[in-house]
Amino acid sequence: MRYAPRWERACVRHGRPLAADANQPLEHLDLRGLPEVVAAQRRWASVARRAARAGAEPERVFALAQAVVARWWEQALQWERETIWPRRLHQVAGGDAGGDLERWRIVGRDAVVFPEVVAVAGALLDPAMAELVWADSGAGRPRALPADGMFCHRLGERLGRGWLGPLAATDHGGPLIAWMGSVIRVRRGVGGPPGYDNDPWWLRQEHQSATMACQLRVLGKEKKAPGSGTMWRAAVPAEQRRLITSAISSAEEPLLQLRGVQTGPTAEVARRLLHGLGHSAGVIENAWKRTAVAAVNGGVPLQEVARWVDMPVEVLSQMLREGRQENGG
């Protein structure tokens, strides 16, 4: 029996598959005006067979691809050149999602992004694409993944978004970069214990895309107590949360890649280690500063935050003022 993504398993008659995590007031999404979504349902069967032939479980391949695309979905509100998803979302909302955009972005996400999920899954299974990752990493001469790497550039082209490559390549906190890191470590023979960073299809818990039901519960709670400071997601804007998460993960990936560099000439090894460690240290400092600012802006007393970061109140207060000035506040 073939694997079908969760939201596809129900009714697909008349191009109206049941929404993911049903049992919600909006039970069906109208896909009759979106033939690309229906066509992607058929293409997934072929991708699932390719996964099985490659020795990968289709469920895990789909979950990873979905996590990659769901992360882009969260960022896409700031992407001026993204026009495909807004059109689809308005279509499944009956012509206009603007009246309840937050809810429709949750309810319609899995259907709207499904063609891209299938395309990403196919790309991750393509040996030629894995070779591009290896080349971007410097192959036998390790280097940091570039913002203009061939893999992400080609991936953007396969998705019909030539502009997406640099954005994907610099999203160091996401599942796509984690997958690329796994591919690189396997080729270099420096993978970790079974089931983790030497497994390209391992999806870390923090990278798993939230279900529709979970997001709707959070949305309901946030609307009951907006900006109260009692809930992190209510008090801290989504963009700030994303930047903090991205900073944490972008510090982690270079550190993992440093495992395999402690051989060779002393100067070269020291250069690579110091460069990688210095980069991660800077990113970590950026993450904790953003977290402190978010906490204070979210209503946590300045004295409490200062105590947590082991910093004089006056110094923290000055840091917050400088941060607001840099952001134009």
Side-chain angles (χ1 to χ4, degrees), residues 98-207:
D100 196 0
L101 182 61
E102 285 185 283
R103 184 176 181 82
W104 274 112
R105 276 183 55 80
I106 293 172
V107 173
R109 181 197 67 183
D110 289 352
V112 169
V113 305
F114 188 68
E116 286 74 22
V117 173
V118 174
V120 168
L124 300 185
L125 287 165
D126 187 345
M129 295 293 282
E131 284 299 320
L132 293 181
V133 174
W134 179 238
D136 287 339
S137 74
R141 297 181 61 83
R143 67 181 181 187
L145 291 170
D148 59 349
M150 293 183 292
F151 169 80
C152 286
H153 177 73
R154 188 70 54 80
L155 181 62
E157 290 182 336
R158 290 175 71 147
L159 294 170
R161 296 166 172 83
W163 48 266
L164 179 59
L167 296 176
T170 54
D171 184 18
H172 296 290
L176 182 63
I177 298 296
W179 176 85
M180 295 170 71
S182 296
V183 171
I184 294 166
R185 286 189 293 275
V186 169
R187 289 290 295 267
R188 290 184 183 152
V190 295
Y196 181 50
D197 57 359
N198 60 340
D199 179 359
W201 309 114
W202 178 274
L203 181 60
R204 303 175 187 177
Q205 184 174 2
E206 64 269 24
H207 289 159

Side-chain angles (χ1 to χ4, degrees), residues 232-276:
W232 177 261
R233 285 178 59 90
V236 182
E239 179 63 13
Q240 285 183 266
R241 300 196 309 268
R242 187 188 70 79
L243 289 172
I244 292 170
T245 300
S246 177
I248 294 170
S249 296
S250 65
E252 176 187 22
E253 196 62 38
L255 290 175
L256 290 173
Q257 293 189 21
L258 290 179
R259 290 178 175 178
V261 304
Q262 296 197 56
T263 57
T266 301
E268 178 64 13
V269 171
R271 182 188 67 81
R272 293 180 185 175
L273 284 173
L274 290 172
H275 178 77

Side-chain angles (χ1 to χ4, degrees), residues 310-328:
D310 194 22
M311 176 183 291
V313 173
E314 305 77 36
V315 176
L316 177 60
S317 179
Q318 178 64 27
M319 186 187 78
L320 294 177
R321 286 195 296 270
E322 292 173 355
R324 293 191 182 100
Q325 291 173 359
E326 290 176 1
N327 293 325

